Amino acid sequence: MERTPIVELKNLSKTIHGKKIIDDVSLLLYPGQITGFLGPNGAGKTTTIRMMVGLMKKSGGDVVIDGQTLSADFEEAMSKVGVIVENPEMYKFMTGYKNLLHFARMHKGVTKERIDEVVRQVGMQNRIHEKVGTYSLGMRQRLGLAQALLHRPKFLILDEPTNGLDPAGIREFRQYLRMIAETEGVSVFVSSHMLSEIELMCDRIAVIQNGKLVDIRDVRETRESHYYIEAAPAEKAAVLLRTAGFETEPLESGVVIQAEKAQIPAVVQELSAEGLDIFAIQPHRRTLEDEFLELTGGGQLAETAAK
Amino acid sequence: MLKLLQNEWMKLWSKKGTWIMAGLMVILILGLAGIMKWSESLAGDEPDNWKAAVQGELEGDKASLESGLLKGESKRLAEERVMVNDYRLANDTAPLQDISREMMIYDPSVGSIALLLTVIVAAGIVASEFSQGTIKMLLTRPVKRWKIMTSKYIAVLLFGILLMLIGFAVTILSAYVLFSPGGGQALAVSGGKVVEVSVWSHGLYMLLLSFANVIITATFAFMIGSVFRSNGMAIGLSLFIYFTGSIVVALLSRFEIVKYLLFTHMDLTMYETDFRLNDDITLPFSLAVLAVYLVIFLIVSYSVFTKRDITA
Ligand SMILES: Nc1ncnc2c1ncn2[C@@H]1O[C@H](COP(=O)(O)OP(=O)(O)OP(=O)(O)O)[C@@H](O)[C@H]1O
Ligand SMILES: [Mg+2]
């Protein structure tokens, strides 16, 4: 995807009390692309996002949004951005509609019709004139999405947006994000703990750990084909596979190899020719979780999963 | 900016508390008038002997002037009282009666109630955005922080003005409904001469003077609220200052520094009474001191607010 990036993080850093919380993060985000932002608890996702929208001052580096440097022209840069930082807190004593009206007034050119349109898009038309204090968490999330979309941002930043949505809501949300990314060319940057979520939704993921960006990759790339093979004796099978040129990785009582479908019959023949007992050969889908684990280490993932 | 102000105004009046405060303003003023009416009925119909009272005050002032103990503003005030009282006796002009329609308008007591209620709003207008967590929604808009701050400050001032006006309107209403005209004429010394003063212009002038206190105390609350993000602390500290100010002045009155303390100047209505916290201060001096404090409070509020990292 060799388009011009809409957002550019240049060597972004944040130091609090002498501790480097964000360390030299550089990242390009492209229009029409959904980028997932992954990292264990305390990795610095929220801090990065807060710096990207001017809630926190950066200690070093720069954020450029559609050609405007955030620190130089805050208003121009932010007019392109829609944000949800963690839970979208609204004014509970006002109706959903008044909340939207409130935020609409802070942008240029958001009409009443546009507010109504967004309300329909997030499916809130039945409850929009009730006080936000009476809303469920999922409804508040929907309203949060609505306020982020009001001004048709070119760049949408979401920090754990699906927290509190029901499965149908999550799917709708995912489809909606895909839709605005594809049809309106919005660039979406979404942090989440839910790896399966990110995997389904994103084109690309950026992984952060201890304040450093450790990996950026396309999600499609990770969809290589792997096979799980269980044969006895296991050691002999592993040796055979390695001499045949496969990378082997032990899993449960067998091994996982990376292989194309067309290679499998040859593998089976070879194994049986050597007199091995084959118990199972099945495609093995490496999930994002496995890769994430690999990248960031199990201990911290356990922490993430426990949340 | 107008839209931001509209937002603040909408948020303010969407809260039940604001309506309760406005209602309280009306009820308290009515209550005050009621108490006055009641005390009037207790006083009974003594024959009005203003001449004797004026004569007494005149002699007292002359005696203290001759003793040479008075100086500064106290001396000037005594001299003016002598002029006015001489004029009253010479021209047979009675003063306003203590409890009368004219007196209520001449000296409307809305300032302190408006102050308390405005302080509550000023304390919460920034702090509550933090406690509700809405601050991050508010500050991720294409609007610079100082503009948001300004809209909030203006909203506070407008609320203060509105309360003063409501209070004055209710005062006028109750003055006309509850009290009968008492006759008499307010006098003042202006340019070395005794002149007649209209109760209306004096009433408005008193409102203006007491509004200075509303502004400075509310700005203080605004500052504490935005620096410490705590509503309660802002209200507490502001009211503490409001109530203990004159005690502090009294304790420190021997020192020169008292002239430059905020407390000494908070209540400008003292310039329309015979009582001064300090003999060396004048209205222009007080206004200058208040202005300096006001600017300091605002600089602190703005600089903390615009620089702060939002982690709420
Ligand atoms: N104001 C602060 N003072 C000191 N340390 C802070 C401050 N804010 C954040 N941190 C630290 O910065 C690190 C990154 O925090 P951040 O909230 O960005 O993590 P995160 O990736 O969003 O985590 P989570 O997945 O739990 O949401 C943490 O170690 C946190 O303790
Ligand atoms: Mg976070």
Side-chain angles (χ1 to χ4, degrees), chain B:
Chain B
M1 183 58 87
L2 205 63
K3 284 186 172 173
L4 294 180
L5 187 57
Q6 224 180 339
N7 272 347
E8 292 307 323
W9 204 245
M10 174 174 81
K11 283 186 272 185
L12 189 57
W13 291 99
S14 296
K15 288 182 187 160
K16 274 202 203 79
T18 313
W19 290 96
I20 293 175
M21 281 193 264
L24 219 56
M25 185 83 212
V26 173
I27 292 169
L28 286 175
I29 299 280
L30 285 178
L32 229 57
I35 290 172
M36 269 172 74
K37 183 75 190 165
W38 178 64
S39 66
E40 182 190 33
S41 71
L42 286 188
D45 302 316
E46 281 172 40
D48 186 22
N49 198 354
W50 65 268
K51 282 191 178 155
V54 165
Q55 188 68 48
E57 193 180 53
L58 188 61
E59 275 158 19
D61 281 332
K62 280 184 173 157
S64 35
L65 279 172
E66 271 160 26
S67 75
L69 289 174
L70 295 179
K71 52 183 179 10
E73 283 291 295
S74 302
K75 181 156 177 268
R76 194 180 61 76
L77 284 172
E79 284 165 358
E80 284 188 9
R81 266 199 310 274
V82 168
M83 282 175 73
V84 166
N85 285 337
D86 273 337
Y87 181 95
R88 287 198 185 285
L89 293 175
N91 296 289
D92 196 22
T93 312
L96 296 180
Q97 281 176 14
D98 276 348
I99 298 176
S100 65
R101 183 183 290 175
E102 288 83 359
M103 198 56 174
M104 283 196 73
I105 297 165
Y106 181 81
D107 188 9
S109 44
V110 297
S112 48
I113 304 171
L115 182 140
L116 297 182
L117 300 178
T118 310
V119 159
I120 294 173
V121 167
I125 200 158
V126 176
S128 70
E129 299 275 1
F130 282 94
S131 59
Q132 297 158 5
T134 45
I135 188 74
K136 64 190 183 204
M137 312 293 280
L138 194 66
L139 297 186
T140 47
R141 306 288 145 188
V143 179
K144 289 209 173 111
R145 290 191 190 181
W146 70 262
K147 291 185 186 165
I148 291 174
M149 198 64 167
T150 306
S151 67
K152 286 185 174 295
Y153 188 60
I154 295 176
V156 169
L157 295 185
L158 285 180
F159 183 73
I161 293 173
L162 183 71
L163 283 186
M164 297 288 284
L165 292 181
I166 292 176
F168 195 42
V170 175
T171 303
I172 294 168
L173 199 76
S174 52
Y176 274 83
V177 172
L178 294 176
F179 298 96
S180 48
Q185 173 64 54
L187 297 174
V189 175
S190 170
K193 278 198 316 218
V194 175
V195 292
E196 298 195 341
V197 177
S198 120
V199 293
W200 291 99
S201 60
H202 188 266
L204 284 172
Y205 184 56
M206 290 299 273
L207 284 188
L208 211 60
L209 289 181
S210 51
F211 192 58
N213 202 354
V214 176
I215 291 181
I216 196 77
T217 317
T219 308
F220 180 77
F222 186 74
M223 173 182 76
I224 301 293
S226 33
V227 171
F228 296 100
R229 291 167 292 173
S230 156
N231 199 340
M233 182 170 175
I235 296 176
L237 275 181
S238 311
L239 296 190
F240 182 74
I241 284 195
Y242 176 66
F243 286 115
T244 58
S246 51
I247 300 172
V248 172
V249 175
L251 288 176
L252 297 177
S253 57
R254 287 186 299 118
F255 304 100
E256 176 75 6
I257 189 159
V258 81
K259 275 169 65 180
Y260 304 101
L261 290 182
L262 175 63
F263 311 115
T264 317
H265 307 279
M266 282 168 73
D267 182 13
L268 295 181
T269 57
M270 69 181 167
Y271 289 109
E272 285 300 306
T273 67
D274 291 338
F275 175 70
R276 292 284 188 283
L277 285 169
N278 183 295
D279 261 345
D280 301 330
I281 56 174
T282 59
L283 182 57
F285 180 73
S286 285
L287 286 174
V289 173
L290 286 180
V292 170
Y293 276 99
L294 192 79
V295 169
I296 293 173
F297 291 167
L298 286 177
I299 288 176
V300 172
S301 316
Y302 273 73
S303 57
V304 169
F305 185 75
T306 51
K307 294 205 181 84
R308 146 166 288 142
D309 275 354
I310 310 296
T311 52

Side-chain angles (χ1 to χ4, degrees), chain A residues 22-76:
Chain A
I22 301 297
D23 191 1
D24 204 24
V25 167
S26 295
L27 183 62
L28 299 178
L29 301 173
Y30 297 91
Q33 219 179 37
I34 303 182
T35 306
F37 196 30
L38 277 178
N41 287 142
K45 301 181 294 294
T46 301
T47 309
T48 306
I49 287 175
R50 284 182 191 275
M51 282 194 285
M52 288 170 76
V53 296
L55 286 177
M56 283 178 134
K57 302 271 173 303
K58 52 195 169 25
S59 309
D62 245 325
V63 179
V64 182
I65 299 169
D66 202 20
Q68 308 286 344
T69 307
L70 191 68
S71 48
D73 196 345
F74 180 75
E75 297 189 346
E76 194 54 39

Side-chain angles (χ1 to χ4, degrees), chain A residues 16-17 19 21 39-48 56 86 160 193 307, chain B residues 311:
Chain A
I16 300 182
H17 307 313
K19 195 177 146 224
I21 288 172
N41 287 142
K45 301 181 294 294
T46 301
T47 309
T48 306
M56 283 178 134
E86 294 173 330
E160 293 171 44
H193 287 123
K307 198 175 170 184
Chain B
T311 52

Side-chain angles (χ1 to χ4, degrees), chain A residues 2-18:
Chain A
E2 286 320 308
R3 277 175 281 179
T4 44
I6 175 121
V7 178
E8 205 179 341
L9 305 191
K10 288 184 187 164
N11 311 96
L12 204 57
S13 302
K14 178 75 183 179
T15 309
I16 300 182
H17 307 313

